[in-house]
């Protein structure tokens, strides 16, 4: 009978010790996974996703170190001997690795490789014929023709190799199945089929899944809850659909809004630079790249704080902060004793790091809104708030970290009496 106790992880910390020093891969990660439920883990390369998966199977060896607690069915996995961990590895938890070509032995037939964990778990008591039959059954479960049991890895396509790894992971009927980038090498049709196969298998075998993926559609299809890792820390976690639809952390927002095809190259929407290892900053690990960081963020590491019933975010500012907000803006011009309405009841909201596009035909009020936001003209009605303060003058346009307007016509905006150097230096001189 399947265990009813959850997978419990507390203060999991992983350090890689190299000749160049110590690299912190994970720093005090804690979570609980209820049986029958699925957890998605997202984050860019180097965030600690694969390290977390490997630690759950005891695959991180000396000189590297793993501390914290991992409990399967009430048993402290960390306290087990290496031999006990090997036995535990396939029967309680198994992993479908990312790169099949590196995992599969090119000199062994697929069938033998699939039943290798089962052969080991049974201490060699199962007959070869029984193992062959089981290999065929497992291949069929994973969506492959049993005939492929007699093939070598190079005779299978990438998608077929991935299914062979799935069959191998299921050989000892594990309680927890860990999938590391399960669809990264698959085309769209194969990806859809593979997701459906996993869903059907979970219904039959009642295992839980931990799914590591940069493909949000995969996480949305397969997981109930989602955890976002950054620099070895949890940035945000909550229900998968809610988190994807309305990200609360600046990093999560950038991750979700980045194009999937560009994601491996760290082309994150609204996030400059690259990630650093856990522990490189005394404060928030995301501080160096955050668009809304403050002094506190650099000095003190934020803990996970509940922002709703099923949602937690690690941010001193409570998550994404509204930078600029305009409410009920109205502007009228008096032309030949006639009132012309240029802007009527306009509202807008811009978060830190966001880009808002304002479009419309000539005369629709775009430039008027821009001038009101920067404080060059006052609205007749409504309110503009920047960083919590009313915009009622040009003072935000005359300060660092304020509001700047790049005007449409450079010939009308730049003085012909000043050199380029003098024009650029003028605001610096005024602000000393």
């Amino acid at each position: 009978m399947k265990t009813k106790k959850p997978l419990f992880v507390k203060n999991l910390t992983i350090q890689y010790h190299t000749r160049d020093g110590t690299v912190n891969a994970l720093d005090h990660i804690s979570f609980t996974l209820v049986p029958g439920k699925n957890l998605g883990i997202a984050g860019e390369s180097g965030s600690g996703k694969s390290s977390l998966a490997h630690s759950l199977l005891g695959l991180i060896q000396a000189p590297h170190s793993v501390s914290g607690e991992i409990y399967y069915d009430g048993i402290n996995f960390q306290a087990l001997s290496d031999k006990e961990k090997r036995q535990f590895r396939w029967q309680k938890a198994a992993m479908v690795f990312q790169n099949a070509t590196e995992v599969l032995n090119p000199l062994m037939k697929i069938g033998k490789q699939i039943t290798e964990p089962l052969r080991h778990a049974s201490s060699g008591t199962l007959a070869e014929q029984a193992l062959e039959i089981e290999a065929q059954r497992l291949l069929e479960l994973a969506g492959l023709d049993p005939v492929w049991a007699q093939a070598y890895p190079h005779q299978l396509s990438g998608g077929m190799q991935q299914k062979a790894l799935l069959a191998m992971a299921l050989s000892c009927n594990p309680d927890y199945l860990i999938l590391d980038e399960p669809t990264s090498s698959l085309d769209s049709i194969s990806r859809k089929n593979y997701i459906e196969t996993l869903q059907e298998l979970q219904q039959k075998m009642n295992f839980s899944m931990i799914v590591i993926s940069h493909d949000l559609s995969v996480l949305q299809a397969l997981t109930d809850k989602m955890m976002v890792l950054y620099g070895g820390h949890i940035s945000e976690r909550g229900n998968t659909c809610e988190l994807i639809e309305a990200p609360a952390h600046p990093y999560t927002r950038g991750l979700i809004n980045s194009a999937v095809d560009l994601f491996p190259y760290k082309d994150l929407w609204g996030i400059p630079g690259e990630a650093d290892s856990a522990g490189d900053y005394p404060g928030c690990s995301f501080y160096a790249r955050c668009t809304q960081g403050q002094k506190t963020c650099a000095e003190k590491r934020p803990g996970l704080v509940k922002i709703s019933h099923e949602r937690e975010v690690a941010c001193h500012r409570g998550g994404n902060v509204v930078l600029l907000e305009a409410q009920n803006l109205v502007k009228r011009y008096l032309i030949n004793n006639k009132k012309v309405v240029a802007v009527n009841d306009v509202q807008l909201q811009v978060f830190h790091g966001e880009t808002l596009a304002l479009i419309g035909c000539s005369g629709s009020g775009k430039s008027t809104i821009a001038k009101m936001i920067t404080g060059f003209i006052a609205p007749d009605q409504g309110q503009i708030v920047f960083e919590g303060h009313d915009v009622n003058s040009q003072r935000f346009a005359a300060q660092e970290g304020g509001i700047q307007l790049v005007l449409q016509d450079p010939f009308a905006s730049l003085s012909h009496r000043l050199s380029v150097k003098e024009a650029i230096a003028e605001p610096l001189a005024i602000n000393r």
Side-chain angles (χ1 to χ4, degrees), residues 220 236-250 252-254 256-257 307-308 311-313 318-320 351:
Q220 210 162 13
E236 183 176 354
R237 65 183 171 197
N239 292 329
T240 301
C241 288
E242 290 179 17
L243 195 146
I244 290 174
E245 288 172 10
H249 196 281
T252 310
R253 183 188 62 193
I256 289 170
N257 284 280
I307 57 172
S308 66
R311 197 72 165 278
E312 292 175 292
V313 63
N320 293 317
F351 286 85

Side-chain angles (χ1 to χ4, degrees), residues 46-74:
S47 60
K49 304 187 304 296
S50 294
S51 293
L52 172 58
H54 292 168
S55 68
L56 294 177
L57 294 171
L59 298 177
I60 298 175
Q61 304 294 324
H64 314 303
S65 60
V66 179
S67 61
E69 301 172 52
I70 302 170
Y71 283 89
Y72 288 102
D73 198 16

Side-chain angles (χ1 to χ4, degrees), residues 242-280:
E242 290 179 17
L243 195 146
I244 290 174
E245 288 172 10
H249 196 281
Y251 176 65
T252 310
R253 183 188 62 193
L255 201 64
I256 289 170
N257 284 280
S258 60
V260 172
D261 291 337
L262 297 177
F263 177 78
Y265 304 101
K266 304 183 182 67
D267 189 6
L268 294 181
W269 178 87
I271 302 177
E274 294 187 9
D276 292 286
S277 300
D280 282 3

